[in-house]
Amino acid sequence: MSRPGLWFPTVWIYLVPFGLSANFWEKPLFWVGLLFVTFPLNFLVYGLNDYTDGKADSLNPRKGNYLFGAKFSKEELTNVPWHISYIIIPFIAYFSYVGGSNLFIILMFMIVVNIIYNYKPFRIKERPPFEILVQVGYVFIALFSIVLNDLYMLPWQTFLYLTFFAFQAHIAGEIMDIEPDILSEKKTTAVLIGRKKAKFLMLFLLLFEVYILKFWFDDWVLSGFLAAFSIWLILDIFVFFKAKPYTVRQMKIFGIAINISAILSMIWVLYSGNLLQPNF
């Protein structure tokens, strides 16, 4: 349910504020925080999502695996909120003890965002385009990392890049879920505007990320990778898939490729430290 194949956004954002010179791997608190942003945090995020979204998931052919999440019946999901509480509360208590009120507020914000995203009367997940904009909540993982590990605050340019990273990752998921979302009458931006326009929106975000990385951070490697991905997406839109849905096999291949790319980019971000200081 916690989708190990989709842990990379939370881990990636957690690692961004670090530089290799800090020898962070020698500090136990770093590893506790890293553990939290893998299973516990993603169990909160995706557990509540599955609990409130059972109908769409039951119709989704890409569900039922470690890449994209579980496929459970309504009865099997009954106690999920309690299970989430058992996992999350000890971490909240510990982090509040070591980090004080600032960490407590950040963690409470993460929980509140997930509640208003999933539950009525808010249920932002079905209020396009706000279901995309609310993904800015992922940026608070970087704040969590900074406060927990007593790091320097990231520049606003980095936070802006991370925001677009979160938007783009969410849109990619919506594009893959258009058919089951339509069948379950779930409203998303991708359902509303269609697959091709959603891909164009994702392309726009990717190109803006390329611009930020190249001209604000002078990062040739990461910007070059995203530029190559943008070229692939252009070919996807105009040549390969156009408005056609992906097969489950293709989506799994994409998922594996994204995880490999995420691991390599994490190593580069830590090694280069480029996102810690913009050009201006």
Side-chain angles (χ1 to χ4, degrees):
M1 182 176 287
S2 71
R3 298 160 173 64
L6 296 178
W7 285 359
F8 67 86
T10 54
V11 174
W12 205 99
I13 295 173
Y14 178 79
L15 293 176
V16 166
F18 290 94
L20 289 179
S21 60
N23 295 331
F24 56 85
W25 55 88
E26 299 176 357
K27 301 173 182 178
L29 202 55
F30 162 78
W31 294 104
V32 178
L34 183 62
L35 170 64
F36 174 69
V37 301
T38 54
F39 168 69
L41 180 58
N42 284 289
F43 187 41
L44 164 69
V45 172
Y46 294 119
L48 289 183
N49 181 76
D50 288 358
Y51 180 73
T52 60
D53 217 15
K55 184 178 179 181
D57 288 343
S58 68
L59 300 170
N60 195 331
R62 76 180 175 111
K63 300 292 184 180
N65 53 74
Y66 287 100
L67 267 176
F68 300 121
K71 183 184 287 189
F72 289 128
S73 67
K74 187 175 181 180
E75 291 72 25
E76 290 173 310
L77 293 169
T78 300
N79 293 320
V80 165
W82 288 109
H83 296 161
I84 292 171
S85 299
Y86 300 150
I87 297 295
I88 290 294
I89 288 176
F91 281 95
I92 293 175
Y94 174 73
F95 290 137
S96 299
Y97 173 74
V98 299
S101 60
N102 288 338
L103 267 185
F104 178 77
I105 291 170
I106 291 172
L107 292 168
M108 286 298 101
F109 176 83
M110 292 180 182
I111 292 172
V112 169
V113 165
N114 277 280
I115 289 173
I116 66 173
Y117 180 75
N118 288 287
Y119 286 93
K120 295 179 179 179
F122 307 102
R123 198 166 167 80
I124 295 177
K125 66 162 59 174
E126 293 195 36
R127 297 180 184 272
F130 298 108
E131 93 284 10
I132 294 175
L133 299 179
V134 79
Q135 303 305 314
V136 72
Y138 272 97
V139 175
F140 277 73
I141 297 170
L143 287 176
F144 165 78
S145 180
I146 291 167
V147 175
L148 177 66
N149 297 284
D150 194 24
L151 303 171
Y152 289 111
M153 181 59 65
L154 290 172
W156 66 265
Q157 293 93 334
T158 303
F159 282 114
L160 181 63
Y161 166 71
L162 294 176
T163 298
F164 281 98
F165 169 76
F167 290 170
Q168 167 229 309
H170 183 79
I171 293 170
E174 284 195 3
I175 290 171
M176 289 189 282
D177 286 346
I178 287 178
E179 280 70 30
D181 286 344
I182 291 174
L183 288 174
S184 62
E185 299 180 343
K186 179 181 175 183
K187 298 176 183 177
T188 68
T189 298
V191 167
L192 189 65
I193 66 177
R195 177 172 280 105
K196 205 164 186 178
K197 289 181 180 177
K199 289 180 181 179
F200 274 116
L201 177 58
M202 184 176 170
L203 177 62
F204 169 77
L205 293 173
L206 275 169
L207 292 175
F208 195 37
E209 289 175 57
V210 171
Y211 178 87
I212 291 173
L213 290 168
K214 173 61 186 72
F215 294 102
W216 292 6
F217 293 97
D218 199 27
D219 190 318
W220 285 88
V221 174
L222 204 52
S223 65
F225 169 75
L226 290 183
F229 184 32
S230 300
I231 292 172
W232 157 256
L233 189 55
I234 291 171
L235 293 174
D236 179 308
I237 295 170
F238 292 104
V239 179
F240 299 131
F241 296 99
K242 300 178 182 178
K244 295 185 297 183
Y246 305 121
T247 65
V248 174
R249 185 170 183 272
Q250 288 165 345
M251 287 188 282
K252 288 183 177 180
I253 292 172
F254 294 158
I256 293 169
I258 288 171
N259 273 274
I260 294 172
S261 302
I263 292 170
L264 294 176
S265 64
M266 286 178 207
I267 295 171
W268 170 251
V269 166
L270 288 173
Y271 171 76
S272 68
N274 285 344
L275 290 177
L276 300 179
Q277 186 60 52
N279 294 331
F280 60 93

